[in-house]
Amino acid sequence: MRVFVRPQRAGRLLATGIPILVAALLVPSGTAFAGLLGPDVGASPNAASIRQLYYIIFALACLLFFGVAGLLVYMLVKFRARKGAVAEQIHGNNRLEVGWTVGAALLLVVISVVTLIKLPGIYNPPNSSAAGLPLTDANVLTSTGAREKLPPNRRALAIEVTGQLYAWRFTYEDGDGNNLNNVYAYEQMVVPTNTTVLLRIKSLDVAHSWWIPELGGKHDAVPGYTNFTWMKVTKPGTYLGQCAELCGRNHASMTARVRAIPPDEYQAWYNGQKERIREADRLAAAERKAQAGQQTAAATQQ
Amino acid sequence: MATEQIAAPLPRIAPVPEIVAHDVRPEQRGWISWLTTTDHKRIGIMYLVASFGFFIVGGIEALLIRLQLAQADNTLLSPQVFNALFTMHGSTMVFLFMMPLAAGLGNYLIPLMIGARDMAFPRLNALSFWLFIAGGTVFYGSLLFSPPECGWTCYAPMSETAFSPTNGVDAWIFLIHLTGIGSAIGAINFIVTVANMRAPGMGWGRLPLFVWTMLTIAVLLAISLPVVATGVTLLLTDRHFGTHFYDPSNGGSPILFQHLFWFFGHPEVYILVLPAFGIISEVLPVFARKPIFGYKAIAASTLAIAFIGSLVWAHHMFATPSPYFVLMFFMLGSYLVAVPTGVKIFNWVFTLWRGSIEFRVPLLFAAGFLVSFLNGGITGIFVATFPVDWQLHDTYFVVAHFHYVLVGGALMGFFAGIYYWFPKFTGRMLSEGLGKISFWLMLVGIWVTFLIQHSAGLSGMPRRIYEYPDINNLELYNLISTIGSFILALGILVTIVNIMRSLRAGTVAGPDPWKANTLEWFTQSPPPVNNFDVIPRVRSVEPMKDIRREIERQSREREPVGVGARADA
């Protein structure tokens, strides 16, 4: 009888100890060790939902791991060879077989259901908040692909993300049908906070993968295809990421930054960029005119 | 009777040959005999030795990778060398270590376990082996010019000539072709051998579980290898013969390559880990001194894993532009694999239940397999959930996940097998003491190396990067991982020393040192060329147990007349 006491006590210790241990390890979230057990606190609803889903699966996984590993250790200790011990010649047990088959299936049903509940918040973009960038009729989007999801009010900021060896280019779509005068940037994407931003992800050369961990998951940039995702940054700040699909020797240096700023600052930045493009266009037009004038002058001289 | 005949004086008449044999070649000796052999045991040994050689090379590559990553912004290796190293490491471990190691064990053990005298096609068997050597030679030959830098997946269009102009990718393609043809031939050989050459009485319900898994692997290989062969052949024609299968600017599709690769690549994961499943299913009952728990459930779950596992390949592609339906299908399909895997794990654990467990080295490795593979299986649920995988995919979390499956799982299983069957292969025992040291070093090494890699991935570190900035404690995590990898390497080194020592000075094993269950222990160690002089009739899954019981019964029955018998002698 005494043999049974010890494992039971050990089991009780595990049952109380593990949740405490897990909780203790969860405390430093938000600090430098935020990524120790799970993804860092996201700054976009999709990243936040993924994190919640991750931790639900993590909790079930801990139970499963410590349960089965504990059972294994118990078996190894309890049934180690001793003098006079004779192994029982058991060939199996159909009830147990059915039991763990159904048990495993049930666990997966639970995970599937949780995933299906969490999925819309990750997959479907929400509307922009009132505190976000005021989106006018110019921001009403039409879906550019069968797989592109739009927010319910169809209003969002659309940015084309183009991967190329070894940089990311961001082109701000303005809906005027002319993409030569669009604001663009390399390396750093500037976005307004609280505003739904749709990303249309493309590649110019090989496959890349767009990933800013705190703003949602990875989406590959595959040449010949357009991939879609969205983000809605809730906190101003700079979020780091990098290409996550091997693309060549400098894959490691293909980094990206998203700088989220309040909508009014964003509008000022955007207008400034737009003005600079207009100014550059004007200068270029003047230059072309001057060159054309020189050419006609040269032609008349001949 | 037999002894009387031999003892009788030979008639002094010169024998008249009835058949005059011209051109009888003398039996080959020395290294020539190894080059020309068609004996499944010798081919098996060559597979094991060659694959272990590649394992050491791949392991050194892994250590170099870990050294480069031990510090943030390290400049030990250039990005070119780093990319070549992880390409060589991955391809070596998959195509030149684990697959041929499984082929070696299968070659050596399948005929012995089913009571056959050789494989069905001994010459094809030799061809399989030499194709594997050719593949390895071509691949490592690329070191002389320009090794591939495309990763073991070698995704197009990065592997097209426009982006990988050197011939390294071609060497990789020929590695897949040559080892692939070798494995496909070997697979057919395994299937035919198991289907036709089983001992009398060995129905499908009495096939050893290791043979079940090897048979399943053979079927998986036969299904999946032609697909990857097609995939890389199209890449070859793209590179050199002007086709555009993977070139989007000419109507090709880079996603096509990924589908063709992973249609093979995912079953491949099961091809790598199933031999370990088989080994564990043999080792656990022997050292727990009781029958395997749920023989039919384990055999059936092997088949179920293979079937479902062949239908979930696109879970490697959750981040690609894929329709919602496809993501759902491959997520739920991947969940399904967990059911037969769970069934297996519970059956293994319950094999220990009410046993009398002897803690010999094979049992230790089997237990190490169980706990490490359990972890690798559970992290599989995370990456099978596609929204979660969007965060984890192509990060060190995934690296940790599949190393738990392939190092904590497959490698631990293989080591259990090596310690278990070494006496059969060589006739000598491996040292228990060194084996235990090796086991603990490896177990600690695996957990220290790979557990923390989950955290590195969760902290934002993608895989296949040669340098990283020290943010989110990445440097600390990577340093821990590097230290672990050297502990693991030390553990493996101890086993290599153990093998070298035992080959010369190991205790002589005898035919059945473990009191095991299957037929390979019926013959001498190492077995003679013809394996068995007499093939016993098989009456259960554990024929050796039956034979031992029968011998005990007979000797008990003879006991009353024992005195008289001795007087006769």
Side-chain angles (χ1 to χ4, degrees), chain A residues 36 79 81 87-88 91 97 116 211 213 218 220 225 227 249, chain B residues 149 253 289 294 319 328 335 347 354 357 390-391 393 455 473:
Chain A
L36 189 65
F79 301 112
E88 269 186 58
H91 286 268
E97 298 289 349
L116 287 176
W211 186 36
K218 268 171 225 76
D220 289 355
Y225 293 82
N227 212 347
R249 286 182 192 164
Chain B
E149 299 167 38
S253 163
R289 296 269 158 254
M328 284 310 265
Y335 282 167
N347 275 300
R354 297 193 177 182
I357 304 163
W390 282 346
Q391 283 289 13
H393 184 68
S455 301
N473 289 303

PDB file of all heavy atoms in Angstrom, chain A residues 36 79 81 87-88 91 97 116 211 213 218 220 225 227 249, chain B residues 149 253 289 294 319 328 335 347 354 357 390-391 393 455 473:
ATOM      1  N   LEU A  36       9.347  34.237 -24.300  1.00  0.00           N
ATOM      2  CA  LEU A  36       9.857  32.974 -23.772  1.00  0.00           C
ATOM      3  C   LEU A  36       8.877  31.826 -23.996  1.00  0.00           C
ATOM      4  O   LEU A  36       9.246  30.746 -24.411  1.00  0.00           O
ATOM      5  CB  LEU A  36      10.152  33.130 -22.280  1.00  0.00           C
ATOM      6  CG  LEU A  36      10.895  31.973 -21.621  1.00  0.00           C
ATOM      7  CD1 LEU A  36      12.289  31.830 -22.201  1.00  0.00           C
ATOM      8  CD2 LEU A  36      10.965  32.173 -20.127  1.00  0.00           C
ATOM      9  N   PHE A  79       7.185   0.072 -12.210  1.00  0.00           N
ATOM     10  CA  PHE A  79       7.291  -1.296 -12.721  1.00  0.00           C
ATOM     11  C   PHE A  79       8.722  -1.653 -13.095  1.00  0.00           C
ATOM     12  O   PHE A  79       8.949  -2.482 -13.961  1.00  0.00           O
ATOM     13  CB  PHE A  79       6.336  -1.483 -13.904  1.00  0.00           C
ATOM     14  CG  PHE A  79       4.908  -1.233 -13.535  1.00  0.00           C
ATOM     15  CD1 PHE A  79       4.230  -0.128 -14.041  1.00  0.00           C
ATOM     16  CD2 PHE A  79       4.247  -2.074 -12.661  1.00  0.00           C
ATOM     17  CE1 PHE A  79       2.917   0.113 -13.686  1.00  0.00           C
ATOM     18  CE2 PHE A  79       2.929  -1.839 -12.296  1.00  0.00           C
ATOM     19  CZ  PHE A  79       2.267  -0.741 -12.806  1.00  0.00           C
ATOM     20  N   ALA A  81      12.262  -3.489 -12.795  1.00  0.00           N
ATOM     21  CA  ALA A  81      12.494  -4.891 -12.432  1.00  0.00           C
ATOM     22  C   ALA A  81      12.968  -4.995 -10.987  1.00  0.00           C
ATOM     23  O   ALA A  81      13.856  -4.268 -10.562  1.00  0.00           O
ATOM     24  CB  ALA A  81      13.547  -5.482 -13.376  1.00  0.00           C
ATOM     25  N   ALA A  87       6.439 -10.048 -14.799  1.00  0.00           N
ATOM     26  CA  ALA A  87       5.640  -9.200 -15.690  1.00  0.00           C
ATOM     27  C   ALA A  87       4.337  -9.904 -16.023  1.00  0.00           C
ATOM     28  O   ALA A  87       4.328 -11.104 -16.307  1.00  0.00           O
ATOM     29  CB  ALA A  87       6.419  -8.906 -16.958  1.00  0.00           C
ATOM     30  N   GLU A  88       3.242  -9.142 -15.964  1.00  0.00           N
ATOM     31  CA  GLU A  88       1.959  -9.733 -16.346  1.00  0.00           C
ATOM     32  C   GLU A  88       1.852  -9.760 -17.859  1.00  0.00           C
ATOM     33  O   GLU A  88       2.138  -8.774 -18.525  1.00  0.00           O
ATOM     34  CB  GLU A  88       0.811  -8.893 -15.772  1.00  0.00           C
ATOM     35  CG  GLU A  88       0.381  -9.375 -14.409  1.00  0.00           C
ATOM     36  CD  GLU A  88      -0.837  -8.626 -13.940  1.00  0.00           C
ATOM     37  OE1 GLU A  88      -1.857  -8.668 -14.653  1.00  0.00           O
ATOM     38  OE2 GLU A  88      -0.752  -7.981 -12.888  1.00  0.00           O
ATOM     39  N   HIS A  91      -1.984  -8.490 -23.220  1.00  0.00           N
ATOM     40  CA  HIS A  91      -1.841  -8.231 -24.649  1.00  0.00           C
ATOM     41  C   HIS A  91      -2.530  -6.961 -25.100  1.00  0.00           C
ATOM     42  O   HIS A  91      -2.323  -6.509 -26.216  1.00  0.00           O
ATOM     43  CB  HIS A  91      -2.375  -9.413 -25.453  1.00  0.00           C
ATOM     44  CG  HIS A  91      -1.459 -10.594 -25.411  1.00  0.00           C
ATOM     45  ND1 HIS A  91      -0.492 -10.811 -26.353  1.00  0.00           N
ATOM     46  CD2 HIS A  91      -1.334 -11.597 -24.505  1.00  0.00           C
ATOM     47  CE1 HIS A  91       0.180 -11.904 -26.061  1.00  0.00           C
ATOM     48  NE2 HIS A  91      -0.300 -12.413 -24.933  1.00  0.00           N
ATOM     49  N   GLU A  97      -8.196   1.166 -25.533  1.00  0.00           N
ATOM     50  CA  GLU A  97      -7.913   1.608 -26.916  1.00  0.00           C
ATOM     51  C   GLU A  97      -8.976   2.591 -27.376  1.00  0.00           C
ATOM     52  O   GLU A  97      -8.658   3.672 -27.889  1.00  0.00           O
ATOM     53  CB  GLU A  97      -7.878   0.410 -27.882  1.00  0.00           C
ATOM     54  CG  GLU A  97      -6.800  -0.623 -27.606  1.00  0.00           C
ATOM     55  CD  GLU A  97      -5.396  -0.139 -27.926  1.00  0.00           C
ATOM     56  OE1 GLU A  97      -5.253   0.921 -28.553  1.00  0.00           O
ATOM     57  OE2 GLU A  97      -4.445  -0.829 -27.515  1.00  0.00           O
ATOM     58  N   LEU A 116     -11.976  27.763 -34.555  1.00  0.00           N
ATOM     59  CA  LEU A 116     -13.040  28.309 -35.403  1.00  0.00           C
ATOM     60  C   LEU A 116     -13.682  29.540 -34.770  1.00  0.00           C
ATOM     61  O   LEU A 116     -14.105  30.457 -35.471  1.00  0.00           O
ATOM     62  CB  LEU A 116     -14.101  27.235 -35.675  1.00  0.00           C
ATOM     63  CG  LEU A 116     -13.633  26.151 -36.641  1.00  0.00           C
ATOM     64  CD1 LEU A 116     -14.696  25.070 -36.777  1.00  0.00           C
ATOM     65  CD2 LEU A 116     -13.310  26.741 -38.003  1.00  0.00           C
ATOM     66  N   TRP A 211       6.501  39.562 -42.584  1.00  0.00           N
ATOM     67  CA  TRP A 211       6.238  39.213 -41.188  1.00  0.00           C
ATOM     68  C   TRP A 211       6.670  40.320 -40.240  1.00  0.00           C
ATOM     69  O   TRP A 211       7.852  40.614 -40.123  1.00  0.00           O
ATOM     70  CB  TRP A 211       6.977  37.925 -40.804  1.00  0.00           C
ATOM     71  CG  TRP A 211       6.636  37.421 -39.436  1.00  0.00           C
ATOM     72  CD1 TRP A 211       5.422  37.472 -38.824  1.00  0.00           C
ATOM     73  CD2 TRP A 211       7.521  36.802 -38.504  1.00  0.00           C
ATOM     74  NE1 TRP A 211       5.487  36.907 -37.577  1.00  0.00           N
ATOM     75  CE2 TRP A 211       6.764  36.494 -37.351  1.00  0.00           C
ATOM     76  CE3 TRP A 211       8.876  36.459 -38.534  1.00  0.00           C
ATOM     77  CZ2 TRP A 211       7.324  35.861 -36.235  1.00  0.00           C
ATOM     78  CZ3 TRP A 211       9.423  35.831 -37.429  1.00  0.00           C
ATOM     79  CH2 TRP A 211       8.651  35.531 -36.288  1.00  0.00           C
ATOM     80  N   PRO A 213       6.016  40.426 -36.399  1.00  0.00           N
ATOM     81  CA  PRO A 213       5.407  39.550 -35.393  1.00  0.00           C
ATOM     82  C   PRO A 213       4.297  40.202 -34.573  1.00  0.00           C
ATOM     83  O   PRO A 213       3.278  39.569 -34.298  1.00  0.00           O
ATOM     84  CB  PRO A 213       6.583  39.163 -34.506  1.00  0.00           C
ATOM     85  CG  PRO A 213       7.787  39.295 -35.372  1.00  0.00           C
ATOM     86  CD  PRO A 213       7.490  40.413 -36.330  1.00  0.00           C
ATOM     87  N   LYS A 218       2.581  35.615 -40.715  1.00  0.00           N
ATOM     88  CA  LYS A 218       3.345  35.687 -41.968  1.00  0.00           C
ATOM     89  C   LYS A 218       2.458  35.509 -43.181  1.00  0.00           C
ATOM     90  O   LYS A 218       1.508  34.740 -43.148  1.00  0.00           O
ATOM     91  CB  LYS A 218       4.312  34.514 -42.004  1.00  0.00           C
ATOM     92  CG  LYS A 218       5.620  34.783 -41.453  1.00  0.00           C
ATOM     93  CD  LYS A 218       6.379  33.498 -41.348  1.00  0.00           C
ATOM     94  CE  LYS A 218       7.015  33.484 -40.007  1.00  0.00           C
ATOM     95  NZ  LYS A 218       6.103  33.181 -38.931  1.00  0.00           N
ATOM     96  N   ASP A 220       3.276  34.951 -47.369  1.00  0.00           N
ATOM     97  CA  ASP A 220       4.350  34.862 -48.353  1.00  0.00           C
ATOM     98  C   ASP A 220       4.107  35.812 -49.509  1.00  0.00           C
ATOM     99  O   ASP A 220       2.961  35.996 -49.958  1.00  0.00           O
ATOM    100  CB  ASP A 220       4.446  33.435 -48.903  1.00  0.00           C
ATOM    101  CG  ASP A 220       4.988  32.465 -47.867  1.00  0.00           C
ATOM    102  OD1 ASP A 220       5.361  32.933 -46.774  1.00  0.00           O
ATOM    103  OD2 ASP A 220       5.020  31.256 -48.150  1.00  0.00           O
ATOM    104  N   TYR A 225       1.712  35.893 -57.835  1.00  0.00           N
ATOM    105  CA  TYR A 225       0.525  35.823 -56.983  1.00  0.00           C
ATOM    106  C   TYR A 225       0.421  37.101 -56.164  1.00  0.00           C
ATOM    107  O   TYR A 225       1.416  37.806 -55.962  1.00  0.00           O
ATOM    108  CB  TYR A 225       0.604  34.653 -56.009  1.00  0.00           C
ATOM    109  CG  TYR A 225       0.553  33.298 -56.665  1.00  0.00           C
ATOM    110  CD1 TYR A 225       1.699  32.734 -57.225  1.00  0.00           C
ATOM    111  CD2 TYR A 225      -0.635  32.588 -56.733  1.00  0.00           C
ATOM    112  CE1 TYR A 225       1.652  31.494 -57.831  1.00  0.00           C
ATOM    113  CE2 TYR A 225      -0.690  31.349 -57.332  1.00  0.00           C
ATOM    114  CZ  TYR A 225       0.462  30.808 -57.880  1.00  0.00           C
ATOM    115  OH  TYR A 225       0.418  29.575 -58.478  1.00  0.00           O
ATOM    116  N   ASN A 227      -0.859  38.087 -52.325  1.00  0.00           N
ATOM    117  CA  ASN A 227      -1.305  37.561 -51.042  1.00  0.00           C
ATOM    118  C   ASN A 227      -1.913  38.716 -50.245  1.00  0.00           C
ATOM    119  O   ASN A 227      -1.588  39.880 -50.503  1.00  0.00           O
ATOM    120  CB  ASN A 227      -0.117  36.971 -50.286  1.00  0.00           C
ATOM    121  CG  ASN A 227      -0.526  35.798 -49.426  1.00  0.00           C
ATOM    122  OD1 ASN A 227      -1.724  35.566 -49.204  1.00  0.00           O
ATOM    123  ND2 ASN A 227       0.444  35.055 -48.931  1.00  0.00           N
ATOM    124  N   ARG A 249      21.403  35.103 -50.271  1.00  0.00           N
ATOM    125  CA  ARG A 249      22.489  35.283 -49.297  1.00  0.00           C
ATOM    126  C   ARG A 249      22.186  36.362 -48.277  1.00  0.00           C
ATOM    127  O   ARG A 249      22.596  36.255 -47.134  1.00  0.00           O
ATOM    128  CB  ARG A 249      23.783  35.609 -50.034  1.00  0.00           C
ATOM    129  CG  ARG A 249      24.335  34.378 -50.717  1.00  0.00           C
ATOM    130  CD  ARG A 249      25.631  34.640 -51.408  1.00  0.00           C
ATOM    131  NE  ARG A 249      25.954  33.489 -52.269  1.00  0.00           N
ATOM    132  CZ  ARG A 249      26.851  33.504 -53.228  1.00  0.00           C
ATOM    133  NH1 ARG A 249      27.536  34.617 -53.471  1.00  0.00           N
ATOM    134  NH2 ARG A 249      27.078  32.447 -53.947  1.00  0.00           N
TER     135      ARG A 249
ATOM    136  N   GLU B 149      22.929  26.531 -52.115  1.00  0.00           N
ATOM    137  CA  GLU B 149      22.630  27.458 -51.020  1.00  0.00           C
ATOM    138  C   GLU B 149      21.131  27.642 -50.865  1.00  0.00           C
ATOM    139  O   GLU B 149      20.664  28.661 -50.376  1.00  0.00           O
ATOM    140  CB  GLU B 149      23.267  28.827 -51.300  1.00  0.00           C
ATOM    141  CG  GLU B 149      24.774  28.800 -51.422  1.00  0.00           C
ATOM    142  CD  GLU B 149      25.304  30.101 -51.997  1.00  0.00           C
ATOM    143  OE1 GLU B 149      24.770  31.163 -51.651  1.00  0.00           O
ATOM    144  OE2 GLU B 149      26.230  30.047 -52.824  1.00  0.00           O
ATOM    145  N   SER B 253       4.407  28.445 -62.372  1.00  0.00           N
ATOM    146  CA  SER B 253       3.935  28.709 -61.010  1.00  0.00           C
ATOM    147  C   SER B 253       4.948  28.261 -59.967  1.00  0.00           C
ATOM    148  O   SER B 253       5.263  27.076 -59.877  1.00  0.00           O
ATOM    149  CB  SER B 253       2.621  27.979 -60.770  1.00  0.00           C
ATOM    150  OG  SER B 253       2.378  27.922 -59.384  1.00  0.00           O
ATOM    151  N   ARG B 289       9.516  -7.122 -20.493  1.00  0.00           N
ATOM    152  CA  ARG B 289       9.259  -8.548 -20.269  1.00  0.00           C
ATOM    153  C   ARG B 289       7.781  -8.899 -20.391  1.00  0.00           C
ATOM    154  O   ARG B 289       7.269  -9.721 -19.641  1.00  0.00           O
ATOM    155  CB  ARG B 289       9.785  -8.973 -18.887  1.00  0.00           C
ATOM    156  CG  ARG B 289      11.281  -8.839 -18.760  1.00  0.00           C
ATOM    157  CD  ARG B 289      11.975 -10.125 -19.158  1.00  0.00           C
ATOM    158  NE  ARG B 289      13.348  -9.900 -19.544  1.00  0.00           N
ATOM    159  CZ  ARG B 289      13.775  -9.941 -20.806  1.00  0.00           C
ATOM    160  NH1 ARG B 289      12.940 -10.185 -21.791  1.00  0.00           N
ATOM    161  NH2 ARG B 289      15.030  -9.759 -21.094  1.00  0.00           N
ATOM    162  N   GLY B 294      -1.572  -3.887 -27.263  1.00  0.00           N
ATOM    163  CA  GLY B 294      -2.364  -3.487 -28.430  1.00  0.00           C
ATOM    164  C   GLY B 294      -1.621  -3.609 -29.749  1.00  0.00           C
ATOM    165  O   GLY B 294      -1.469  -2.627 -30.471  1.00  0.00           O
ATOM    166  N   ALA B 319       1.309  29.855 -45.259  1.00  0.00           N
ATOM    167  CA  ALA B 319       1.529  31.288 -45.488  1.00  0.00           C
ATOM    168  C   ALA B 319       1.466  31.663 -46.964  1.00  0.00           C
ATOM    169  O   ALA B 319       1.489  32.840 -47.300  1.00  0.00           O
ATOM    170  CB  ALA B 319       2.877  31.714 -44.902  1.00  0.00           C
ATOM    171  N   MET B 328      -8.314  25.322 -44.256  1.00  0.00           N
ATOM    172  CA  MET B 328      -9.117  24.539 -43.326  1.00  0.00           C
ATOM    173  C   MET B 328      -8.875  23.043 -43.513  1.00  0.00           C
ATOM    174  O   MET B 328      -8.688  22.297 -42.548  1.00  0.00           O
ATOM    175  CB  MET B 328     -10.612  24.822 -43.533  1.00  0.00           C
ATOM    176  CG  MET B 328     -11.088  26.125 -42.968  1.00  0.00           C
ATOM    177  SD  MET B 328     -10.597  26.344 -41.281  1.00  0.00           S
ATOM    178  CE  MET B 328     -12.007  25.773 -40.463  1.00  0.00           C
ATOM    179  N   TYR B 335      -4.656  17.775 -37.859  1.00  0.00           N
ATOM    180  CA  TYR B 335      -5.126  17.393 -36.519  1.00  0.00           C
ATOM    181  C   TYR B 335      -5.376  15.889 -36.456  1.00  0.00           C
ATOM    182  O   TYR B 335      -5.067  15.235 -35.465  1.00  0.00           O
ATOM    183  CB  TYR B 335      -6.445  18.102 -36.190  1.00  0.00           C
ATOM    184  CG  TYR B 335      -6.327  19.554 -35.783  1.00  0.00           C
ATOM    185  CD1 TYR B 335      -7.454  20.366 -35.734  1.00  0.00           C
ATOM    186  CD2 TYR B 335      -5.102  20.109 -35.438  1.00  0.00           C
ATOM    187  CE1 TYR B 335      -7.371  21.693 -35.358  1.00  0.00           C
ATOM    188  CE2 TYR B 335      -5.006  21.437 -35.068  1.00  0.00           C
ATOM    189  CZ  TYR B 335      -6.141  22.225 -35.026  1.00  0.00           C
ATOM    190  OH  TYR B 335      -6.056  23.529 -34.662  1.00  0.00           O
ATOM    191  N   ASN B 347      -0.257   3.234 -26.249  1.00  0.00           N
ATOM    192  CA  ASN B 347       0.029   1.799 -26.276  1.00  0.00           C
ATOM    193  C   ASN B 347       1.453   1.515 -25.826  1.00  0.00           C
ATOM    194  O   ASN B 347       1.704   0.534 -25.123  1.00  0.00           O
ATOM    195  CB  ASN B 347      -0.205   1.237 -27.681  1.00  0.00           C
ATOM    196  CG  ASN B 347      -1.659   0.873 -27.907  1.00  0.00           C
ATOM    197  OD1 ASN B 347      -2.205   0.037 -27.205  1.00  0.00           O
ATOM    198  ND2 ASN B 347      -2.303   1.520 -28.854  1.00  0.00           N
ATOM    199  N   ARG B 354       2.581  -2.820 -15.514  1.00  0.00           N
ATOM    200  CA  ARG B 354       2.676  -4.128 -14.858  1.00  0.00           C
ATOM    201  C   ARG B 354       3.729  -5.031 -15.475  1.00  0.00           C
ATOM    202  O   ARG B 354       3.634  -6.256 -15.415  1.00  0.00           O
ATOM    203  CB  ARG B 354       1.329  -4.861 -14.881  1.00  0.00           C
ATOM    204  CG  ARG B 354       0.288  -4.095 -14.105  1.00  0.00           C
ATOM    205  CD  ARG B 354      -0.912  -4.957 -13.872  1.00  0.00           C
ATOM    206  NE  ARG B 354      -1.895  -4.255 -13.069  1.00  0.00           N
ATOM    207  CZ  ARG B 354      -3.029  -4.796 -12.683  1.00  0.00           C
ATOM    208  NH1 ARG B 354      -3.313  -6.026 -13.016  1.00  0.00           N
ATOM    209  NH2 ARG B 354      -3.860  -4.114 -11.954  1.00  0.00           N
ATOM    210  N   ILE B 357      10.467  -3.923 -15.730  1.00  0.00           N
ATOM    211  CA  ILE B 357      11.270  -3.174 -16.690  1.00  0.00           C
ATOM    212  C   ILE B 357      12.753  -3.268 -16.354  1.00  0.00           C
ATOM    213  O   ILE B 357      13.181  -2.899 -15.254  1.00  0.00           O
ATOM    214  CB  ILE B 357      10.836  -1.695 -16.721  1.00  0.00           C
ATOM    215  CG1 ILE B 357       9.347  -1.596 -17.034  1.00  0.00           C
ATOM    216  CG2 ILE B 357      11.654  -0.915 -17.732  1.00  0.00           C
ATOM    217  CD1 ILE B 357       8.748  -0.259 -16.693  1.00  0.00           C
ATOM    218  N   TRP B 390       0.798  30.970 -38.770  1.00  0.00           N
ATOM    219  CA  TRP B 390       1.201  32.226 -39.419  1.00  0.00           C
ATOM    220  C   TRP B 390       2.255  32.936 -38.588  1.00  0.00           C
ATOM    221  O   TRP B 390       3.096  33.645 -39.114  1.00  0.00           O
ATOM    222  CB  TRP B 390      -0.018  33.134 -39.617  1.00  0.00           C
ATOM    223  CG  TRP B 390      -0.875  32.724 -40.775  1.00  0.00           C
ATOM    224  CD1 TRP B 390      -0.549  31.845 -41.762  1.00  0.00           C
ATOM    225  CD2 TRP B 390      -2.191  33.184 -41.078  1.00  0.00           C
ATOM    226  NE1 TRP B 390      -1.579  31.723 -42.650  1.00  0.00           N
ATOM    227  CE2 TRP B 390      -2.603  32.532 -42.257  1.00  0.00           C
ATOM    228  CE3 TRP B 390      -3.068  34.078 -40.465  1.00  0.00           C
ATOM    229  CZ2 TRP B 390      -3.851  32.760 -42.843  1.00  0.00           C
ATOM    230  CZ3 TRP B 390      -4.303  34.297 -41.051  1.00  0.00           C
ATOM    231  CH2 TRP B 390      -4.696  33.636 -42.231  1.00  0.00           C
ATOM    232  N   GLN B 391       2.205  32.776 -37.260  1.00  0.00           N
ATOM    233  CA  GLN B 391       3.259  33.356 -36.424  1.00  0.00           C
ATOM    234  C   GLN B 391       4.487  32.442 -36.343  1.00  0.00           C
ATOM    235  O   GLN B 391       5.605  32.927 -36.273  1.00  0.00           O
ATOM    236  CB  GLN B 391       2.746  33.604 -34.994  1.00  0.00           C
ATOM    237  CG  GLN B 391       1.874  34.826 -34.829  1.00  0.00           C
ATOM    238  CD  GLN B 391       2.637  36.142 -34.959  1.00  0.00           C
ATOM    239  OE1 GLN B 391       3.768  36.185 -35.401  1.00  0.00           O
ATOM    240  NE2 GLN B 391       1.982  37.230 -34.588  1.00  0.00           N
ATOM    241  N   HIS B 393       5.449  29.742 -38.417  1.00  0.00           N
ATOM    242  CA  HIS B 393       6.018  29.180 -39.633  1.00  0.00           C
ATOM    243  C   HIS B 393       7.364  29.825 -39.966  1.00  0.00           C
ATOM    244  O   HIS B 393       7.530  31.034 -39.822  1.00  0.00           O
ATOM    245  CB  HIS B 393       5.040  29.419 -40.789  1.00  0.00           C
ATOM    246  CG  HIS B 393       5.486  28.802 -42.075  1.00  0.00           C
ATOM    247  ND1 HIS B 393       5.548  27.449 -42.251  1.00  0.00           N
ATOM    248  CD2 HIS B 393       5.917  29.357 -43.221  1.00  0.00           C
ATOM    249  CE1 HIS B 393       5.992  27.205 -43.469  1.00  0.00           C
ATOM    250  NE2 HIS B 393       6.235  28.332 -44.076  1.00  0.00           N
ATOM    251  N   SER B 455      11.493  29.311 -27.923  1.00  0.00           N
ATOM    252  CA  SER B 455      11.451  30.690 -27.439  1.00  0.00           C
ATOM    253  C   SER B 455      12.089  31.640 -28.443  1.00  0.00           C
ATOM    254  O   SER B 455      11.598  32.747 -28.646  1.00  0.00           O
ATOM    255  CB  SER B 455      12.168  30.787 -26.094  1.00  0.00           C
ATOM    256  OG  SER B 455      11.544  29.935 -25.169  1.00  0.00           O
ATOM    257  N   ASN B 473      16.344  39.033 -26.124  1.00  0.00           N
ATOM    258  CA  ASN B 473      17.154  37.950 -25.555  1.00  0.00           C
ATOM    259  C   ASN B 473      17.559  36.881 -26.548  1.00  0.00           C
ATOM    260  O   ASN B 473      17.864  35.761 -26.164  1.00  0.00           O
ATOM    261  CB  ASN B 473      16.424  37.271 -24.401  1.00  0.00           C
ATOM    262  CG  ASN B 473      16.363  38.164 -23.205  1.00  0.00           C
ATOM    263  OD1 ASN B 473      17.382  38.608 -22.710  1.00  0.00           O
ATOM    264  ND2 ASN B 473      15.159  38.480 -22.781  1.00  0.00           N
TER     265      ASN B 473
END
